[in-house]
Amino acid sequence: MARLVIVSNRVTIGGKKGQAPGGLATALKDVLTPETIWFGWSGRRTEQSGRLTQHNSDGAQIIAMDLSEEDYKKFYIGFANRTLWPLMHYRPGLLQFDRSDYDGYLKVNHRFADALMSILQPDDIVWVHDYHFIPLAACLRQRNFAGRIGFYLHIPFAPPALFAVLPPGRALLSALCEYDHVGFQTEADLHHFRSCVRDILNYSINKDGVIFGPNRPCISSAIPVGIDTEGFAHMAAEAEHQAEAERLRESMGSKALILGVDRLDYSKGLPQRFSAYGRLLEKHPEHRQQVSLLQIAPKSRDDVKEYRDIKRQLDQLVGQINGQHADFDWVPLRYITRDMPRMVLAGFHRIARVGLVTPLRDGMNLVAKEFVAAQDPNDPGVLVLSRFAGAAAELQDALLINPFDPDEIADALHVALTMSLSERQARWRRMYETIRRNTASAWAQTCLQAATGSRRLTISPASRYHWQTDQRLEAQNEETTWPVRPAV
Ligand code: ADQ
């Protein structure tokens, strides 16, 4: 029987904090079985790359590889996070390119391919996640793996004018076309990818978006990632009565809570968010003493200089805003750089009056969906959301803002804080209905269906994926002229 082999940079080992691949583990929950293999980096930096360890986790068999300090620096810190991450987040000014980092990136992809070849069976389905592993399908094809391989990009795809900046852009684009399916978060990302393939590689693309490169047809589609909406809603309803949420509520008194939850990353727009909050207190002084912003932003990638810089900048801004506005009985801005358990966060979302999600650019942003899922239907909070988050395409009933404009964010905060209950309920209901349909489970099933060319993967009617690309995928499968492998 065909097994599913998932590849991602981070894997969860023994549920250890810090190892968890964030939203990915949750999103994959429903497709993991005890036969599923999940392959990734162990999170350990050792003298030599390549040592493999095996672990049992709740849903799957985890196989993890150690990386040497040098590989970690070139592959992860260098090419993945100093070159690809800023480029794909539309920040060419922060991009640094070094040929030896790119060589290190390729080397780790080849190492992963070697290790995978030792465990892969011919009919396994390989599902590769994110920008760390763009060349992996090509590496596996070089080693004669002929099974189905799908890819999902969790971050945005840059438009052609920006993508052209990337020195090995051509090689990476053609590597992407070695997958049977490549999935993107939004129609805009998909459009950018196809435009790059057309303009840079001159490959033909048919009306259904199937790309015909020299080796194989590659299906490309937009399949936005979702969350376990009902599960998160139940967790939030329960967490609201737990100690942490009670303590937060007590500390707030009658003040309204504005909540921000992000990894500490320059793509999340935190300096602009803090400035916007300062502007709110200046422009709308009636909110002074009546609100408090709680920002939870655990440090991430602090081996990368740009991440240490943003941390310093935020520390200063918090000091400035509290210095200017605080009173002896009121701290306007509370800022935490520690990780928090998911359940505690769910409870905080539920008691927040406003969810403030303002990335300058984001593939999707699951926090926006989690905020909506967590709300009390009788008294829901308002989501203020960047129009440059992938989630904005689905969450049109949020107050959509330009995250580069602190005044616009401040005005939206004012609207959110003064919005009538009936309007809050109407907006929330429409958003909840959308995320209740487009769940994590439906996302995973649709991606796997597309990668396998199969229409026989069972999808329960409740989790059937409601998005226009679904029909198009079905149509592609019917019109496909190349041999379709047996369905799993
Ligand atoms: P991330 O950039 O990590 O993910 P996001 O989608 O917002 O961003 O968060 C992922 C998960 O981490 C969420 O489930 C969230 O609850 C959790 N998380 C965030 N901040 C946290 C905190 N302070 N403490 C504890 N947990 C926290 C990448 C892309 C996104 C894309 C996801 C999934 O950058 O655009 O939505 O992958 O595809």
Side-chain angles (χ1 to χ4, degrees):
M1 204 180 69
R3 300 174 307 176
L4 175 62
V5 179
I6 294 167
V7 184
S8 66
N9 183 51
R10 284 301 180 103
V11 290
T12 314
I13 298 176
K16 258 197 239 161
K17 253 184 155 179
Q19 298 274 8
L24 188 60
T26 325
L28 294 174
K29 200 169 70 152
D30 287 353
V31 294
L32 299 181
T33 69
E35 286 73 44
T36 306
I37 294 172
W38 191 342
F39 197 93
W41 173 40
S42 63
R44 266 191 302 267
R45 285 132 69 179
T46 47
E47 215 157 274
Q48 271 197 330
S49 289
R51 189 177 78 103
L52 297 178
T53 46
Q54 201 163 347
H55 314 261
N56 286 322
S57 169
D58 308 338
Q61 301 169 43
I62 309 281
I63 302 181
M65 186 193 280
D66 294 348
L67 287 183
S68 69
E69 189 64 33
E70 189 191 348
D71 283 348
Y72 166 77
K73 281 199 176 126
K74 292 183 171 174
F75 157 79
Y76 182 73
I77 298 292
F79 192 70
N81 285 316
R82 279 210 191 110
T83 307
L84 288 177
W85 179 272
L87 177 80
M88 294 302 202
H89 286 86
Y90 297 47
R91 303 291 290 274
L94 296 179
L95 179 152
Q96 292 170 46
F97 176 71
D98 185 324
R99 262 168 206 269
S100 78
D101 286 347
Y102 180 55
D103 291 342
Y105 175 81
L106 292 177
K107 189 172 128 198
V108 169
N109 272 267
H110 280 291
R111 269 190 192 289
F112 264 62
D114 282 333
L116 279 164
M117 286 308 287
S118 68
I119 53 169
L120 281 176
Q121 294 166 8
D123 61 350
D124 283 346
I125 294 148
V126 183
W127 191 16
V128 179
H129 290 265
D130 236 357
Y131 58 103
H132 315 87
F133 295 114
I134 291 173
L136 192 60
C139 299
L140 289 170
R141 299 299 184 209
Q142 277 175 20
R143 289 159 177 79
N144 297 323
F145 179 70
R148 290 272 166 171
I149 317 179
F151 178 83
Y152 192 83
L153 187 68
H154 290 260
I155 63 174
F157 197 93
L162 267 181
F163 192 83
V165 167
L166 184 64
R170 212 187 145 78
L172 290 180
L173 265 185
S174 65
L176 276 172
C177 298
E178 292 297 320
Y179 287 92
D180 293 292
H181 174 254
V182 282
F184 298 92
Q185 298 274 22
T186 66
E187 292 290 336
D189 299 317
L190 174 64
H191 174 73
H192 294 156
F193 168 68
R194 288 182 184 164
S195 305
C196 286
V197 166
R198 219 177 265 125
D199 299 353
I200 299 173
L201 298 178
N202 289 319
Y203 291 175
S204 68
I205 306 181
N206 76 7
K207 66 177 177 26
D208 295 316
V210 182
I211 298 162
F212 295 93
N215 299 324
R216 71 193 57 249
C218 166
I219 301 174
S220 56
S221 56
I223 309 175
V225 68
I227 60 167
D228 170 14
T229 306
E230 287 174 2
F232 202 84
H234 286 134
M235 186 158 71
E238 199 183 315
E240 183 187 16
H241 303 293
Q242 291 195 339
E244 292 85 353
E246 292 288 1
R247 273 172 55 204
L248 175 58
R249 211 192 324 250
E250 204 173 296
S251 77
M252 292 296 298
S254 59
K255 295 180 194 66
L257 173 66
I258 303 173
L259 180 66
V261 176
D262 309 77
R263 264 188 317 102
L264 209 164
D265 191 300
Y266 55 75
S267 67
K268 303 291 182 185
L270 293 168
Q272 292 83 348
R273 187 182 306 176
F274 288 0
S275 303
Y277 181 62
R279 292 292 294 135
L280 171 80
L281 300 175
E282 284 159 19
K283 284 176 84 168
H284 303 280
E286 65 272 29
H287 296 300
R288 295 172 58 84
Q289 298 269 4
Q290 301 303 317
V291 293
S292 189
L293 168 59
L294 169 60
Q295 176 65 53
I296 301 168
K299 285 185 279 183
S300 72
R301 302 177 195 165
D302 50 1
D303 286 346
V304 182
K305 179 182 170 296
E306 288 70 24
Y307 287 73
R308 295 194 298 273
D309 291 347
I310 189 99
K311 164 90 176 53
R312 254 196 310 275
Q313 190 188 354
L314 290 172
D315 288 348
Q316 270 179 8
L317 263 173
V318 174
Q320 267 170 28
I321 289 167
N322 279 335
Q324 186 180 346
H325 298 284
D327 219 327
F328 61 87
D329 57 353
W330 175 51
V331 181
L333 173 49
R334 308 174 187 189
Y335 174 54
I336 301 174
T337 56
R338 278 193 318 276
D339 222 347
M340 294 251 167
R342 228 175 139 61
M343 179 125 188
V344 172
L345 285 178
F348 288 4
H349 280 305
R350 189 159 173 107
I351 59 182
R353 170 49 56 91
V354 181
L356 189 52
V357 183
T358 59
L360 304 178
R361 190 63 62 176
D362 217 331
M364 175 54 58
N365 197 295
L366 295 179
V367 173
K369 294 186 171 182
E370 289 165 355
F371 176 80
V372 174
Q375 295 310 299
D376 175 353
N378 294 318
D379 186 19
V382 180
L383 177 63
V384 174
L385 176 63
S386 162
R387 60 181 76 251
F388 305 134
E394 290 167 278
L395 301 178
Q396 289 284 307
D397 280 292
L399 296 179
L400 296 178
I401 49 89
N402 181 334
F404 291 91
D405 183 357
D407 278 280
E408 192 180 323
I409 304 174
D411 293 341
L413 282 172
H414 175 65
V415 171
L417 289 164
T418 53
M419 190 180 281
S420 70
L421 175 62
S422 60
E423 186 174 350
R424 282 190 274 131
Q425 285 174 326
R427 284 174 179 268
W428 174 80
R429 222 175 284 124
R430 289 188 292 262
M431 291 194 286
Y432 187 80
E433 197 41 41
T434 304
I435 61 166
R436 197 183 61 75
R437 289 194 310 255
N438 297 346
T439 60
S441 163
W443 163 79
Q445 293 277 5
T446 309
C447 289
L448 287 174
Q449 222 177 352
T452 54
S454 153
R455 280 178 289 134
R456 283 208 276 134
L457 275 177
T458 44
I459 301 181
S460 68
S463 67
R464 186 96 185 99
Y465 186 67
H466 289 256
W467 193 263
Q468 61 191 43
T469 49
D470 198 26
Q471 283 170 350
R472 205 163 44 235
L473 285 173
E474 299 271 315
Q476 281 167 13
N477 291 335
E478 268 152 26
E479 286 170 23
T480 302
T481 50
W482 65 91
V484 174
R485 289 172 62 82
V488 280

